[in-house]
């Protein structure tokens, strides 16, 4: 006599039916995968901008304006005065949207405008542009040095090689440093089957201008 009243016996025919159903389902899935009868979504090729490891901006090695070296006009014999955007036609096209910083010589050196200026008037070269940024963005500069801001390339194991910090202007336009709106990359493709038609029209996100 079975002393456990809660225990129920599964009929043999039910167990065989379950096993047979699983077997037939497996055969159908295998056949569908081999013959390609399951319709898949069309996976569009990603734009290179979504996986290109290059920085947003290229880092200059020489200060130029419209491919002309600054030294072609600025000989560095006397300090420049006034606002360069109001002199001639060369600098009027520059859009300066850098917070409260609305004057060229807050950053550029008056004697050598191809160089930059520290608070005490000492020149800062293009190769050390991060020192210019650190004048006003001290906490961000600290985070950048520690690796919490920006990007590093190279080796974690310094015994295998060195690390290189990506400078500020590789990502930020110094005249307009805030990032412009970017179009998001498509979501990961996780559903192998074609989605059901809902009747709704989906619109792709358009690029957001400005910033």
């Amino acid at each position: 006599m079975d002393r456990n009243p809660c225990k129920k016996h599964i009929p043999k025919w039910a167990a065989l039916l379950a096993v047979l159903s699983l077997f037939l389902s497996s055969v159908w899935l295998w056949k569908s995968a081999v013959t390609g009868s399951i319709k898949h979504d069309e996976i569009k090729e990603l734009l290179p901008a979504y996986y290109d490891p290059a920085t947003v901006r290229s880092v200059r090695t020489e200060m130029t304006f419209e491919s002309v070296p600054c030294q072609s006009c600025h000989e560095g014999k006397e300090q420049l005065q006034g606002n360069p955007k109001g002199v001639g036609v060369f600098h009027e096209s520059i859009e300066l949207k850098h917070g409260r910083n609305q004057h060229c010589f807050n950053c550029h050196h008056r004697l050598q405008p191809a160089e930059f200026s520290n608070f005490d008037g000492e020149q800062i070269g293009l190769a050390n542009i991060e020192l210019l940024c650190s004048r006003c963005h001290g906490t961000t500069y600290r985070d950048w040095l520690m690796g919490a801001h920006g990007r590093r390339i190279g080796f974690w194991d310094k015994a295998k090689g060195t690390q290189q910090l990506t400078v500020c202007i590789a990502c930020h336009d110094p005249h307009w440093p805030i990032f412009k709106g970017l179009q998001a990359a498509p979501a990961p493709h996780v559903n192998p089957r074609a989605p059901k038609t809902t009747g709704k029209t989906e619109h792709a996100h358009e690029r957001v201008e400005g910033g």
Side-chain angles (χ1 to χ4, degrees), residues 33-201:
V34 172
T35 60
S37 60
I38 297 180
K39 185 178 179 181
H40 292 73
D41 294 337
E42 179 184 357
I43 304 178
K44 296 182 179 180
E45 184 177 356
L46 283 178
L47 297 175
Y50 292 132
Y51 56 83
D52 189 352
T55 54
V56 179
R57 306 179 73 248
S58 58
V59 180
R60 295 185 178 201
T61 57
E62 180 186 14
M63 288 296 295
T64 61
F65 183 77
E66 296 183 354
S67 302
V68 178
C70 300
Q71 291 84 352
S72 299
C73 298
H74 303 289
E75 298 178 355
K77 294 181 179 180
E78 59 181 16
Q79 291 195 0
L80 300 174
Q81 304 297 328
N83 188 350
K85 286 178 64 64
V87 180
V89 296
F90 293 102
H91 302 294
E92 293 177 352
S93 61
I94 295 178
E95 291 188 84
L96 187 55
K97 295 186 178 182
H98 196 145
R100 296 182 179 180
N101 185 2
Q102 294 296 320
H103 202 289
C104 304
F105 292 122
N106 286 341
C107 294
H108 288 273
H109 199 272
R110 288 184 178 272
L111 187 62
Q112 295 287 349
E115 303 288 327
F116 306 95
S117 180
N118 207 337
F119 285 127
D120 58 2
E122 182 182 356
Q123 292 185 19
I124 298 175
L126 180 61
N128 303 111
I129 191 64
E130 67 277 3
L131 299 180
L132 173 68
C133 302
S134 69
R135 297 188 323 171
C136 300
H137 305 282
T139 54
T140 305
Y141 175 69
R142 175 203 62 195
D143 294 341
W144 176 78
L145 286 175
M146 299 299 294
H149 183 92
R151 170 183 166 188
R152 295 189 180 203
I153 57 176
F155 297 86
W156 288 109
D157 186 355
K158 294 183 179 180
K160 296 182 179 180
T162 59
Q163 289 186 356
Q164 180 180 348
L165 293 173
T166 304
V167 295
C168 315
I169 59 174
C171 297
H172 299 278
D173 183 337
H175 294 140
W176 194 343
I178 190 171
F179 269 89
K180 314 300 186 296
L182 300 175
Q183 182 180 0
H189 189 83
V190 295
N191 184 7
R193 298 187 183 185
K196 294 181 180 179
T197 303
T198 60
K200 297 181 180 180
T201 304

